[in-house]
Amino acid sequence: FRQLALAGKTALVTAGPTYEPIDPVRFIGNHSSGKMGFALANALYLQGAAVQLVSGPTALQPAYEGIELIRVQTAQQMYEACISAFPAAAIAVMSAAVADYRPVEAAPEKIKKTGSGMELQLVKTPDILQSLGSLKQPHQFVAGFALETTNETEHAMQKLRNKNADMIVLNSLRNKEAGFGVDTNAITIFDKDGGTTTHGVMPKDAVAAVIVEHIIQKLYAPKV
Ligand code: C5P
């Protein structure tokens, strides 16, 4: 009888979009379904990890009751949930499509339309992956995602360095069976040590299992 690879370890996962309120009825958001993040939470749980899943608005439920789900709306709320959970985590996988900007302030009442145009002033949201990367201790493994349309490899490598991540998973957008909303994905994994691994189109559950397998290998690899 062998123990599951992640028994005794805690994993923190982010999933879904964030909604940044403009007024009580409107928000800035995106089309992320949360499927990849929920699949990752399930895969980590199946390897024995205690999983905390911080998710923006989605229609999904984790596959297992043991997964602790923390639902949030905004990037700031996701950031705060992650900052408080991260110290206990051995693994953090940031797969949420966090809004990069939010309105400076949400109007307290519904904004009425006028005859002319309108301007919305935006400010940057906190970069959660980068924040965890900068707080990261040697025993912690931090993974992020990249979704690029140009110079994919260069941007993924930059993200690895700039955010002090251990691994970046690049979603290939060259394939209509990969990315937002669909049940399949095609990825390339970029490691801190310079390694790259490409996988063809697979169901998101299988992609999640491959990513978790990769994390386990790196987590237990002898440090050089
Ligand atoms: O910089 P970019 O948004 O392309 O990086 C994507 C990666 O960073 C993803 O892992 C995403 O979850 C994470 N991210 C984050 N907080 C943000 C923006 C992105 O954690 N505010």
Side-chain angles (χ1 to χ4, degrees):
F1 177 77
R2 283 176 40 212
Q3 228 186 1
L4 291 169
L6 298 178
K9 300 219 182 283
T10 296
L12 168 65
V13 181
T14 63
T18 64
Y19 284 1
E20 311 300 328
I22 296 170
D23 68 18
V25 296
R26 305 183 180 97
F27 59 85
I28 295 174
N30 61 68
H31 288 300
S32 168
S33 65
K35 282 178 183 165
M36 197 60 236
F38 275 66
L40 282 159
N42 295 337
L44 287 158
Y45 183 80
L46 286 175
Q47 291 287 352
V51 181
Q52 292 194 305
L53 173 58
V54 182
S55 177
T58 72
L60 304 175
Q61 288 291 341
Y64 308 99
E65 258 185 30
I67 294 174
E68 186 188 337
L69 176 62
I70 302 157
R71 289 203 188 268
V72 297
Q73 295 272 327
T74 67
Q76 182 63 30
Q77 290 165 355
M78 188 174 273
Y79 169 81
E80 283 165 20
C82 288
I83 291 295
S84 82
F86 187 57
I91 300 164
V93 187
M94 302 289 100
S95 68
V98 184
D100 289 321
Y101 295 91
R102 65 168 173 84
V104 175
E105 55 189 349
E109 305 297 340
K110 187 179 172 193
I111 300 170
K112 304 297 285 178
K113 58 177 165 286
T114 61
S116 53
M118 80 166 274
E119 276 180 31
L120 198 56
Q121 214 188 340
L122 304 178
V123 288
K124 281 214 76 174
T125 55
D127 189 319
I128 304 166
L129 174 58
Q130 190 167 47
S131 305
L132 300 194
S134 71
L135 294 169
K136 185 168 63 117
Q137 302 295 308
H139 69 281
Q140 292 179 302
F141 188 96
V142 173
F145 277 74
L147 194 143
E148 302 290 340
T149 53
T150 56
N151 301 330
E152 293 177 304
T153 301
E154 196 184 313
H155 285 131
M157 309 270 273
Q158 255 171 27
K159 227 157 276 200
L160 201 56
R161 280 193 304 272
N162 295 347
K163 305 200 190 205
N164 195 33
D166 295 291
M167 165 182 144
I168 289 285
V169 181
L170 174 71
N171 280 297
S172 174
L173 278 183
R174 296 177 196 287
N175 200 310
K176 71 174 189 313
E177 291 163 297
F180 271 11
V182 295
D183 288 319
T184 50
N185 212 354
I187 57 161
T188 300
I189 298 177
F190 293 81
D191 289 302
K192 193 173 58 177
D193 61 16
T196 65
T197 322
T198 298
H199 298 273
V201 174
M202 283 182 279
K204 281 184 178 170
D205 286 341
V207 175
V210 162
I211 292 170
V212 170
E213 201 55 58
H214 198 99
I215 292 174
I216 290 167
Q217 270 183 32
K218 293 293 168 185
L219 203 62
Y220 294 113
K223 298 264 185 296
V224 283

